[in-house]
């Protein structure tokens, strides 16, 4: 079992950013481009908070698009890497379970790649949304992309068997075997991943989890925290098949394995 970062499991990838980018390359910057498209279509101002910024790829893209970006993460190795490799945004350490940058200091909060789902409990989700609501000025946007809990209703294709992956990094072949399982009581998608490098080292086992949120449940939480839901759909998005591309309108269903939301802070 890996140690916890206040509810978010530390893993081999969170502690080794270069390995993370080798395992999950995004040369087309789809996530950042999709987020910028959402911000532009809904007229967001320039001040953006990227919550759960990781290695800074999306924050750097938003900065390059002319946004004034604050990028926050709980992993210090990720932040150190981002500051060196992707200067421009203001990188800070913060916990998505509760943060305070001051009232109304951002025009948008972006939370991509299922980072929101590290809020495992209702209390944690309430604290995240309260923090977002405080940070946003009137009419500010929350843009998020994540797994879709509804996809797992009656479907087991992602749960049936372990998934193998291998990639080369620094002269070694890194292999991972990933198993997903649903904890229905806690409403969590639990992941076990075993890493090996074939160099004689002992395999490393990691455990982590994401909250499984359903579309109408998410809509309810957002509304309760003073947001108007503008978009809530399964695709297209940066991790869908086929992937999002410029000019594609948002979808109208919420049945596939990813969920995309754009919500506006109500004007008082």
């Amino acid at each position: 079992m890996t140690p916890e970062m206040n509810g978010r499991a530390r893993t081999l990838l969170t502690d080794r950013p270069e390995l993370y980018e080798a395992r999950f390359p995004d040369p087309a910057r789809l996530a950042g481009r999709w987020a910028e498209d959402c911000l532009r279509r809904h007229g967001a101002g320039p001040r953006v908070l990227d919550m759960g910024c990781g290695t800074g790829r999306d924050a750097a893209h938003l900065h390059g698009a002319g946004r004034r970006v604050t990028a926050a993460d709980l992993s210090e190795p990720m932040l150190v890497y981002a500051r060196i490799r992707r200067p421009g945004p203001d990188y800070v350490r913060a916990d998505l379970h509760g943060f305070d940058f001051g009232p109304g200091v951002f025009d948008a909060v972006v939370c991509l790649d299922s980072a929101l789902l590290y809020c495992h409990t209702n209390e944690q989700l309430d604290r995240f949304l309260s923090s977002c609501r405080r940070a946003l000025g009137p009419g500010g946007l929350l843009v998020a992309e994540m797994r879709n809990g509804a996809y797992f209703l009656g479907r087991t294709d992602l749960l049936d068997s372990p998934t193998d992956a291998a990639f080369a990094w620094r002269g070694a072949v890194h292999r991972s075997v990933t198993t997903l399982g649903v904890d229905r009581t806690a409403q969590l998608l639990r992941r076990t991943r075993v890493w090996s490098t074939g160099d004689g080292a002992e395999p490393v086992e990691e455990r982590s989890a994401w909250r499984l949120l359903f579309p109408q449940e998410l809509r309810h939480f957002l509304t309760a925290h003073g947001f108007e839901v503008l978009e809530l759909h399964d695709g297209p998005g940066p991790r869908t098949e086929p992937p999002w591309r410029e000019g594609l309108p948002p979808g109208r269903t919420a049945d596939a394995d990813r969920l995309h939301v754009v919500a506006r802070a109500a004007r008082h």
Side-chain angles (χ1 to χ4, degrees):
M1 178 77 75
T2 55
E4 294 289 320
M5 299 190 301
N6 194 16
R8 176 173 175 175
R10 291 183 61 182
T11 69
L12 190 69
L13 297 183
T14 60
D15 286 345
R16 301 176 72 178
E18 290 180 332
L19 185 63
Y20 174 90
E21 293 204 334
R23 174 64 181 87
F24 299 109
D26 183 18
R29 297 294 182 265
L30 274 176
R33 287 165 48 209
W34 173 80
E36 171 60 25
D37 182 73
C38 291
L39 297 177
R40 187 174 58 252
R41 284 191 294 106
H42 291 285
R47 304 169 302 165
V48 176
L49 171 63
D50 180 5
M51 200 67 208
C53 67
T55 61
R57 292 186 297 199
D58 304 321
H61 180 84
L62 294 172
H63 173 79
R67 308 282 175 183
R68 299 200 300 270
V69 182
T70 298
D73 203 279
L74 199 56
S75 168
E76 192 59 40
M78 288 284 193
L79 292 170
V80 170
Y81 179 91
R83 291 182 187 117
I84 295 171
R85 296 297 183 92
R86 299 192 173 92
D90 180 19
Y91 293 101
V92 298
R93 191 171 188 267
D95 186 353
L96 61 83
H97 293 162
F99 54 90
D100 188 358
F101 292 97
V105 295
F106 295 110
D107 302 305
V109 176
V110 171
C111 192
L112 304 176
D113 200 25
S114 294
L116 184 153
L117 302 184
Y118 287 112
C119 295
H120 289 176
T121 67
N122 289 349
E123 180 184 6
Q124 290 172 347
L125 185 57
D126 281 330
R127 291 204 302 265
F128 170 75
L129 292 175
S130 293
S131 298
C132 291
R133 188 66 182 81
R134 173 176 167 78
L136 288 168
L141 294 181
L142 172 61
V143 177
E145 182 271 336
M146 69 202 82
R147 287 181 179 271
N148 181 8
Y151 183 80
F152 295 91
L153 292 173
R155 293 187 178 97
T156 61
D157 55 295
L158 297 180
L159 313 174
D160 285 338
S161 59
T163 301
D164 297 318
F167 61 99
W169 183 68
R170 290 188 174 177
V173 176
H174 292 257
R175 301 183 185 278
S176 64
V177 179
T178 302
T179 305
L180 298 176
V182 173
D183 179 341
R184 291 177 175 81
T185 301
Q187 208 168 308
L188 294 175
L189 180 66
R190 297 193 181 277
R191 180 182 68 188
T192 301
R193 177 174 284 161
V194 179
W195 289 95
S196 60
T197 56
D199 58 1
E202 287 292 317
V204 176
E205 181 179 291
E206 303 171 342
R207 296 180 184 270
S208 55
W210 297 275
R211 172 71 178 264
L212 290 177
L213 284 171
F214 301 99
Q216 291 305 312
E217 179 186 22
L218 180 57
R219 185 183 294 274
H220 172 79
F221 271 100
L222 288 164
T223 301
H225 282 274
F227 286 93
E228 175 193 2
V229 178
L230 305 178
E231 297 179 17
L232 184 60
H233 59 89
D234 51 14
R239 286 185 173 269
T240 61
E241 288 297 337
W244 171 88
R245 66 178 189 275
E246 278 86 358
L248 288 178
R252 297 180 178 274
T253 61
D255 187 62
D257 64 329
R258 306 300 293 189
L259 195 61
H260 310 82
V261 62
V262 180
R264 189 186 303 280
R267 293 180 171 87
H268 297 299

